[in-house]
């Protein structure tokens, strides 16, 4: 207890002394947790000393074992009721205000301070804050904050959600005349190449008991913290009133925020009372111009840009939903390498920290609010909607009361991020509203299993014309909830908060949605898996802006975009494998393997395929192989490689074909070699002998293919792009003799936040990566650290992520370590139990440099 009180004192001293310099201070450290429930936990007299110590963010579901009897929709994970406790001295003085901000708690949370209930919040993805001012014990008295997380109805989503306080928590302390939480809004409404107008909206609240006056100083800072524009004004404000102050500052020669140059400015807003600074808020923003044209697509800063996007869920494999910033940084950097320039936050608002990274790395973001509105989706069978029960009903039962609050809180907290260019009000909502199936003609309304291919939908024209759809709805019985009316309500709330971005939604049954009023309220209509109907929709609804918002990661999807100026781009399903959205019969498959990267963040064939499609600036080449027996290709009668199923390239599923990143087969075995490349021509060599040159223009599916009889040795592909030569090779490897560990950084700060990724790769005696043999690798770690987990990327492995042992995939696996607040030298080694396979020693220094004390 003495140690805890000492920590509290340090935190309080630091917070009050640095208040002028910061809007918020992290409140993540030194919580206590129990996966249990009792009516006594809310009592201020209850002692939590025996609970487990944790730092936030924290996901208690990922710590538990995967169980066959659990629900596949949420990755066979477990839920439960968990409680969090934190004891602390008041960070606010007697005359100060104090707020606590939760960026995300999953879910059905209740918040208590000193035995008094602050409130509750059912939606796990929207931020929320509470004013603690009237409930704090001040001076040296102790406070106890309790948070209950009720995720006992754990199958309330179609994907893995996690459970707990899985996003950051911050404390905000202000004076009684103050800028509230999320009380600033910075836009750049009038942009020119020589000047730009920065518009700053500031909320000011007076809770002092007297009419007051404050000087508000706004400084615009460039990336080097140089002042490039400012304004000062005296603002009178009456007691118990909120005042909205608007100011405009003209900035010369603006440096634009762009995809490859994500330049960030800051608006430093200072409240001054009698010459003394009493509050200082710093808001980052970017100067960028976004524009959609119904005929020409998307423009960024006046330049026509195709949106090369991916959909991402909020989990990250071994860490579950509590994803450290460095884990996202590694994953986003890899996607950037593939040419990705946009992220769709499927199907819920992204965390503030994730948006920070997108600002910094240069990603456009479609921030999505909801996966269901008035009515619940079937979590077990997805679009079939067969079963909805107590455990799977989800957020729909709270939607009527909380929709506006959560939508507006999400926008208030994230509207300053320059990365956000679209707000999505919903994802495939049509499934949940009666009538939509029957209206399309794709389904019989009376038989929800009787359907055409709704995903790829190959008919030349829709089963029902717009006139038939309108007639259907005219004769359809009136329902309690109307999809068009709810869409209109959500769009109005969104425009009320922000008119600088475009409103969209992902429409899965657009022939119905175009006639229900749903698409009328959208600025951009997003299509879910409809590349073969782009021309029909353009002809039928010529004035509507359109794009793909959920697309199969295949060449035909991107080809459809390249051939149509009016389609702004795509969002592939998905950028990274995610936990959940499985069925009970699919055990032990716990994750959805459709990503360019697997759950460990390792690239698969589709990653390199889209890198070859999306990177025009560099030559791209990669080689994968497969036995002729298991390949989707075969050698044709003319010696050329053809598809076993003609036209398969246009019918291919979301999951990439089974191919291998190695050249190890039986001598004489017939194989198919696939090369993913943007080179105009590629020549393949086997042990130095040419197997022929091919040309990209002849590859209908954009994949180079050769039929090759296996011989031990080396495959090498050589190509040219715009005259620039490139080559890539695969070599037959020997038996595994050792483990090679690599790391993605050499130092970390002792800040309870920094993460190092360690990759263990099996190698032969020549040091070559062995990608065919698999082993169970165990990691050993010396030095103070927080162990985050291991993962090989295999979606069927059900081993608990929190074990130090992982089974390799393609001969490699991942381990993640997070720093604590103690400087140390981290020493990592690995071995295979029962075999003489050892690794090199890898060292990471963890130091105090740059540490911010809590």
């Amino acid at each position: 207890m003495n140690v805890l009180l000492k920590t509290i004192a340090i935190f309080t001293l630091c917070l009050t002394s640095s208040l002028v310099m910061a809007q918020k201070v992290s409140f993540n450290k030194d919580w206590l947790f129990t996966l249990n429930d009792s009516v006594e936990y809310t009592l201020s007299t209850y002692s939590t000393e025996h609970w487990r110590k944790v730092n936030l963010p924290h996901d208690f579901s990922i710590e538990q074992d995967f169980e066959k009897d659990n629900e596949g929709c949420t990755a066979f994970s477990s839920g439960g009721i968990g409680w969090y406790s934190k004891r602390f001295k008041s960070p606010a003085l007697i005359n100060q205000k104090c707020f606590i901000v939760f960026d995300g708690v999953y879910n059905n949370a209740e918040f208590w301070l000193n035995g008094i209930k602050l409130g509750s919040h059912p939606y796990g993805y929207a931020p929320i804050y509470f004013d603690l001012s009237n409930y704090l014990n001040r001076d040296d008295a102790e406070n106890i904050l309790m948070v209950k997380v009720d995720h006992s109805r754990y199958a309330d989503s179609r994907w893995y959600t996690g459970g707990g306080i899985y996003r950051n928590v911050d404390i905000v302390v202000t004076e009684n005349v103050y800028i509230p939480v999320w009380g600033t809004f910075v836009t750049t409404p009038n942009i020119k190449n020589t000047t730009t107008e920065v518009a700053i909206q500031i909320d000011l609240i007076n809770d002092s008991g007297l009419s007051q006056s404050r000087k508000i100083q706004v400084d615009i800072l460039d990336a080097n913290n140089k002042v490039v524009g400012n304004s000062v004004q005296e603002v009178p404000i009456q007691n118990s009133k909120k005042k909205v102050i608007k100011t405009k500052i003209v900035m010369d020669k603006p440096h634009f925020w762009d995809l490859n140059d994500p330049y960030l400015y800051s608006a430093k807003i200072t409240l001054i009372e009698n010459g003394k600074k009493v509050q200082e808020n710093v808001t980052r923003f970017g100067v960028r111009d976004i524009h959609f044209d119904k005929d020409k697509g998307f423009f960024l800063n006046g330049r026509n840009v195709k949106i090369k996007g991916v959909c991402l869920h909020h989990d990250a494999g071994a860490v579950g939903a509590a994803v450290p910033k460095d884990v996202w940084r590694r994953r986003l950097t890899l996607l950037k390498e593939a040419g990705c320039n946009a992220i769709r936050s499927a199907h819920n608002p992204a965390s503030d920290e994730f948006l920070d990274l997108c600002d910094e790395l240069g990603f456009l973001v479609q921030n999505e609010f909801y996966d269901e509105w008035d009515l619940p989706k079937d979590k077990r069978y997805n679009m079939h909607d067969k079963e909805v029960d107590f455990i799977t009903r989800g957020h729909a039962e709270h939607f009527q009361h909380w929709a506006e609050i959560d939508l507006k809180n999400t926008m208030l907290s994230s509207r300053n991020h320059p990365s956000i260019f679209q707000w999505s009000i919903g994802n495939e909502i049509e499934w949940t509203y009666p009538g939509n199936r029957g209206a399309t003609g794709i389904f019989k309304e009376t038989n929800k299993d009787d359907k055409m291919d709704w995903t790829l939908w190959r008919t030349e024209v829709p089963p029902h014309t717009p006139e038939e759809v309108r007639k259907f709805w005219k004769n359809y019985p009136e329902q309690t909830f109307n999809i068009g009316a709810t869409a209109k309500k959500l769009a109005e709330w969104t425009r009320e908060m922000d008119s600088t971005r475009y409103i969209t939604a992902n429409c899965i049954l657009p022939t119905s949605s175009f006639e229900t009023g749903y698409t009328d309220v959208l600025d951009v209509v997003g299509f879910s898996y409809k590349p073969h109907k782009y021309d029909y929709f353009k002809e039928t609804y010529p004035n509507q802006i359109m794009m793909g918002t959920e697309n199969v990661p295949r060449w035909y999807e991107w080809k459809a975009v390249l051939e149509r100026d009016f389609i702004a781009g795509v969002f592939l399903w998905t950028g990274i494998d995610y936990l959940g959205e499985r069925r009970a019969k699919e055990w032990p498959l716990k994750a959805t393997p459709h990503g360019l990267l697997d759950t460990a963040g390792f690239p698969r064939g589709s990653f390199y395929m889209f890198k070859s499609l999306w990177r025009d600036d560099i030559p791209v080449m990669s080689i994968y192989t497969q036995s002729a027996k298991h390949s989707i290709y075969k050698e044709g009668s003319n010696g050329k490689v053809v598809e076993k199923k003609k036209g398969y390239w246009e019918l291919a599923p979301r999951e990439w074909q089974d191919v291998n990143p190695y050249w190890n087969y039986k001598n004489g075995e017939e194989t198919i070699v696939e090369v993913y490349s943007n080179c105009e021509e590629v020549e393949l060599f086997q042990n130095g002998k040419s197997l022929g040159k091919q040309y990209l223009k002849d590859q209908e599916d954009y994949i180079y293919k050769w039929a090759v009889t296996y011989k031990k040795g080396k495959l090498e592909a050589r190509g040219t792009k715009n005259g620039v030569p490139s080559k890539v090779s695969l070599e037959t490897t020997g038996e595994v003799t050792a483990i090679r560990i690599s790391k993605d950084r050499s130092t970390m700060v002792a800040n309870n936040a920094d993460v190092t990724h360690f990759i263990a790769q099996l190698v032969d005696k020549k040091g070559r990566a062995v990608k065919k043999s698999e082993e169970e690798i165990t990691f050993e770690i010396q030095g103070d650290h927080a162990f985050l987990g291991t993962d090989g990327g295999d979606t069927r492995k059900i081993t608990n992520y929190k074990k130090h042992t992982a089974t390799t995939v393609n001969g490699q696996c991942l381990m993640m370590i997070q720093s604590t607040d103690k400087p140390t030298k981290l020493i990592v080694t690995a071995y295979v139990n029962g075999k003489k396979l050892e690794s090199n020693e890898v060292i990471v220094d963890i130091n105090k440099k740059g540490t911010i004390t809590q």
Side-chain angles (χ1 to χ4, degrees):
M1 180 61 73
N2 290 335
V3 174
L4 178 61
L5 292 177
K6 183 178 179 181
T7 303
I8 292 168
I10 293 172
F11 167 78
T12 305
L13 177 63
C14 177
L15 182 57
T16 53
S17 63
S18 62
L19 171 61
V20 171
M21 302 306 295
Q23 161 70 1
K24 60 185 180 182
V25 174
S26 175
F27 208 51
N28 285 339
K29 188 180 175 185
D30 293 337
W31 288 70
L32 297 171
F33 171 75
T34 183
L35 189 59
N36 210 331
D37 187 30
S38 170
V39 293
E40 295 183 357
Y41 292 170
T42 62
L43 302 176
S44 59
T45 55
Y46 183 81
S47 174
T48 60
E49 285 184 328
H50 60 287
W51 291 7
R52 177 162 63 99
K53 182 179 177 181
V54 297
N55 290 333
L56 305 180
H58 176 246
D59 175 2
F60 62 73
S61 288
I62 203 66
E63 297 175 343
Q64 302 176 67
D65 290 338
F66 300 103
E67 300 287 351
K68 184 177 182 179
D69 291 338
N70 290 339
E71 300 287 345
C73 56
T74 47
F76 303 100
S77 64
S78 297
I81 297 177
W83 280 81
Y84 294 84
S85 169
K86 185 175 175 73
R87 295 177 182 272
F88 62 101
K89 297 288 185 66
S90 171
L93 302 177
I94 293 296
N95 61 343
Q96 290 181 317
K97 303 282 291 185
C98 182
F99 305 89
I100 188 166
V101 185
F102 294 88
D103 196 36
V105 182
Y106 206 91
N107 63 348
N108 299 310
E110 296 178 7
F111 306 86
W112 303 73
L113 180 63
N114 299 328
I116 300 171
K117 188 173 182 179
L118 300 170
S120 60
H121 190 215
Y123 192 41
Y125 294 115
I128 194 167
Y129 73 90
F130 297 98
D131 186 347
L132 307 182
S133 307
N134 294 331
Y135 313 106
L136 277 174
N137 296 321
R138 308 279 176 150
D139 299 326
D140 290 330
E142 187 179 68
N143 294 272
I144 180 167
L145 180 67
M146 304 288 287
V147 180
K148 178 183 180 181
V149 179
D150 186 353
H151 193 35
S152 54
R153 296 164 63 180
Y154 69 98
D156 59 355
S157 174
R158 296 184 301 117
W159 57 85
Y160 176 84
T161 63
I165 308 178
Y166 72 104
R167 291 181 179 175
N168 289 322
V169 180
D170 296 297
I171 283 286
V172 178
V173 178
T174 71
E175 301 300 316
N176 285 325
V177 179
Y178 61 99
I179 301 169
V181 174
W182 311 324
T184 61
F185 187 24
V186 182
T187 58
T188 51
N190 190 6
I191 298 176
K192 299 177 181 177
N193 287 329
T194 55
T195 62
T196 187
E197 185 178 84
V198 182
I200 302 100
Q201 178 180 303
I202 306 162
D203 294 344
L204 189 64
I205 296 177
N206 184 358
D207 283 341
S208 68
L210 299 170
S211 293
Q212 299 271 350
S213 178
R214 291 291 184 271
K215 183 181 289 185
I216 298 182
Q217 178 176 319
V218 180
D219 294 309
I220 304 299
L221 309 175
D222 66 12
N224 296 314
N225 285 323
K226 178 184 176 183
V227 177
V228 293
N230 71 323
S231 72
V232 180
Q233 58 179 306
E234 192 76 24
V235 178
I237 181 169
Q238 296 179 358
N239 179 43
S240 301
K241 294 291 184 180
K242 173 183 173 181
K243 193 166 190 175
V244 179
I245 298 102
K246 297 182 179 181
T247 186
K248 294 180 179 179
I249 299 173
V250 176
M251 188 169 61
D252 293 330
K253 298 179 180 179
H255 192 147
F256 287 82
W257 183 94
D258 214 320
L259 299 173
N260 295 318
D261 184 17
Y263 192 89
L264 295 169
Y265 289 91
S266 296
K268 184 171 72 172
I269 302 165
T270 308
L271 280 188
I272 302 172
E273 178 187 8
N274 299 324
K276 178 185 176 183
K277 296 179 181 179
V278 293
Q279 187 177 351
E280 186 175 278
N281 287 12
V282 178
T283 301
R284 292 199 310 183
F285 69 96
V287 178
R288 88 284 186 273
D289 178 66
I290 55 174
H291 174 67
F292 279 90
D293 183 272
K294 66 182 178 66
D295 298 317
K296 297 180 180 179
F298 175 66
F299 292 80
L300 177 63
N301 301 327
R303 185 179 77 259
N304 192 224
V305 173
K306 286 293 188 184
I307 296 166
K308 304 171 181 177
V310 299
C311 302
L312 290 182
H313 272 298
H314 72 298
D315 73 280
V319 295
V323 188
K325 189 174 182 179
D326 283 342
V327 173
W328 275 128
R329 189 188 307 278
R330 170 178 174 260
R331 291 167 173 242
L332 291 177
T333 300
L334 282 166
L335 291 173
K336 191 81 172 179
E337 178 191 319
C340 175
N341 62 21
I343 305 295
R344 174 181 171 222
S345 67
H347 301 291
N348 46 260
S351 70
D352 192 59
E353 200 165 54
F354 180 89
L355 295 171
D356 280 342
L357 270 175
C358 291
D359 293 343
E360 296 161 11
L361 296 175
F363 284 96
L364 297 165
V365 175
Q366 180 190 114
N367 211 22
E368 193 155 75
F369 298 136
Y370 297 111
D371 186 52
E372 53 188 11
W373 294 348
D374 302 297
L375 301 164
K377 288 184 177 178
D378 187 322
K379 313 306 188 297
R380 297 188 181 98
Y381 296 95
N382 216 349
M383 73 277 186
H384 296 285
D385 287 355
K386 293 179 179 178
E387 298 177 358
V388 174
D389 52 26
F390 180 75
I391 195 174
T392 64
R393 183 166 168 77
H395 188 68
E397 65 184 0
H398 303 291
F399 184 80
Q400 302 304 319
H401 175 73
W402 282 96
E404 181 176 8
I405 298 169
D406 289 332
L407 183 149
K408 290 183 175 181
N409 278 354
T410 295
M411 294 185 69
L412 284 168
S413 68
S414 60
R415 60 185 177 175
N416 290 307
H417 289 281
S419 54
I420 296 178
F421 78 127
Q422 290 178 323
W423 303 109
S424 172
I425 61 174
N427 168 63
E428 296 186 2
I429 297 296
E430 296 99 323
W431 294 129
T432 63
Y433 287 83
N436 279 288
R437 288 176 173 80
T440 64
I442 300 173
F443 301 82
K444 290 180 180 178
E445 185 69 14
T446 56
N447 184 353
K448 295 177 181 179
D449 286 332
D450 181 25
K451 59 179 173 42
M452 297 169 56
D453 187 352
W454 62 268
T455 303
L456 303 179
W457 188 21
R458 306 286 169 175
T459 57
E460 285 190 20
V461 295
H464 283 178
T465 65
E467 291 75 20
E468 289 174 308
V469 175
R470 286 193 287 271
K471 182 179 178 181
F472 175 92
W473 281 116
K474 184 178 180 180
N475 296 322
Y476 198 77
E478 184 176 347
Q479 302 293 305
T480 303
F481 299 111
N482 179 282
I483 191 171
T486 300
K488 182 174 184 290
K489 180 170 60 178
L490 293 169
E492 287 175 348
W493 291 336
T494 305
R495 290 189 175 95
E496 177 188 336
M497 303 300 295
D498 178 20
S499 60
T500 69
R501 274 98 166 184
Y502 289 77
I503 298 175
T504 188
N506 185 43
C507 297
I508 187 65
L509 303 175
T511 49
S512 179
S513 293
F514 272 113
E515 303 301 332
T516 59
Y518 186 1
T519 61
D520 293 348
V521 304
L522 305 178
D523 300 314
V524 179
V525 176
F527 295 125
S528 197
Y529 310 110
K530 298 296 180 291
H532 300 86
K533 290 294 159 285
Y534 290 156
D535 292 335
Y536 167 81
F537 287 126
K538 181 61 176 175
E539 180 182 349
T540 309
Y541 305 98
N543 294 319
Q544 188 62 259
I545 301 170
M546 304 173 185
M547 68 174 293
T549 41
E550 193 165 317
N551 306 81
V552 176
R554 292 284 173 174
W555 155 236
Y556 71 81
E557 288 272 21
W558 187 242
K559 183 174 182 286
V561 174
L562 291 177
E563 293 173 346
R564 293 163 179 82
D565 291 341
F566 65 89
I567 296 296
V570 296
F571 286 98
L572 302 181
W573 192 265
T574 56
I576 307 174
D577 288 356
Y578 59 96
L579 296 172
E581 204 164 355
R582 308 319 307 164
R583 307 289 174 259
K585 65 182 180 181
E586 294 173 318
W587 169 267
L589 182 60
K590 67 182 184 300
T592 302
H594 300 159
L596 306 185
L597 306 173
D598 64 24
T599 56
F602 294 141
R604 55 166 54 97
S606 52
F607 173 91
Y608 294 104
M609 178 65 177
F610 270 86
K611 184 176 180 179
S612 72
L613 295 173
W614 285 351
R615 291 294 300 268
D616 296 327
D617 56 325
I618 59 171
V620 175
M621 297 187 74
S622 63
I623 299 181
Y624 282 81
T625 66
Q626 184 53 278
S627 66
K629 180 181 179 180
H630 294 110
S631 176
I632 64 172
Y633 300 106
K634 66 180 181 180
E635 186 174 9
S637 57
N638 59 359
K640 291 186 177 181
V641 175
V642 297
E643 295 172 309
K644 289 179 179 177
K645 181 178 180 181
K646 186 174 175 55
Y648 181 76
W649 73 275
E650 288 188 289
L651 298 168
R654 299 176 182 88
E655 190 169 348
W656 197 249
Q657 61 256 32
D658 184 15
V659 288
N660 303 313
Y662 54 74
W663 188 232
N664 287 74
Y665 295 90
K666 294 179 181 179
N667 191 41
E669 186 173 0
E670 298 302 324
T671 70
I672 301 295
V673 176
E674 300 180 26
V675 174
Y676 312 136
S677 178
N678 59 7
C679 291
E680 296 95 345
E681 58 182 36
V682 172
E683 188 171 7
L684 185 67
F685 294 84
Q686 183 180 25
N687 299 334
K689 180 182 177 181
S690 175
L691 300 183
K693 182 182 290 187
Q694 297 183 22
Y695 299 89
L696 190 59
K697 62 183 177 61
D698 299 328
Q699 314 306 317
E700 188 177 36
D701 60 359
Y702 211 88
I703 297 176
Y704 288 99
K705 303 166 287 292
W706 285 265
V708 181
T709 301
Y710 176 75
K711 296 177 184 177
K712 180 180 178 181
K714 182 178 181 181
L715 286 178
E716 183 173 81
R718 303 173 189 169
T720 57
K721 177 175 174 59
N722 300 326
V724 178
S726 180
K727 63 182 179 180
V728 66
S729 63
L730 282 182
E731 191 172 355
T732 305
T733 55
E735 295 295 319
V736 177
T737 59
I739 304 165
R740 182 175 62 226
I741 302 177
S742 59
K743 60 189 178 182
D744 64 352
R745 63 195 301 171
S746 296
T747 62
M748 288 194 286
V749 176
N751 58 5
N752 293 301
D754 284 5
V755 175
T756 298
H757 297 82
F758 298 89
I759 297 174
Q761 174 70 58
L762 301 174
V763 295
D764 64 12
K765 64 182 180 180
K766 293 185 178 180
R768 299 172 299 191
V770 179
K771 297 187 177 182
K772 186 173 183 180
S773 298
E774 309 300 350
E775 299 285 357
E776 279 197 351
I777 291 179
T778 299
F779 292 90
E780 291 187 322
I781 309 130
Q782 299 177 45
D784 277 301
H785 67 280
F787 178 76
L788 295 182
T790 57
D791 188 10
D794 188 340
T795 55
R796 292 185 178 273
K797 291 295 181 184
I798 57 170
T799 305
N800 191 302
Y801 282 127
K802 301 308 178 181
K803 294 185 177 181
H804 286 64
T805 298
T807 302
T808 62
V809 175
N810 298 323
Q812 65 181 350
C813 62
L814 170 76
M815 179 185 68
M816 293 174 283
I817 293 293
Q818 191 167 44
S819 67
T820 66
D821 58 0
K822 297 177 181 178
T824 190
K825 179 176 286 187
L826 207 63
I827 303 174
V828 175
T829 57
Y831 65 91
V832 174
N833 201 18
K835 296 187 179 181
K836 294 182 178 180
L837 293 179
E838 297 180 349
S839 74
N840 56 314
E841 185 180 85
V842 176
I843 298 175
V844 175
D845 288 318
I846 303 178
N847 56 67
K848 276 287 186 182
K849 185 179 180 182
T851 298
I852 300 173
T853 304
Q854 284 197 9

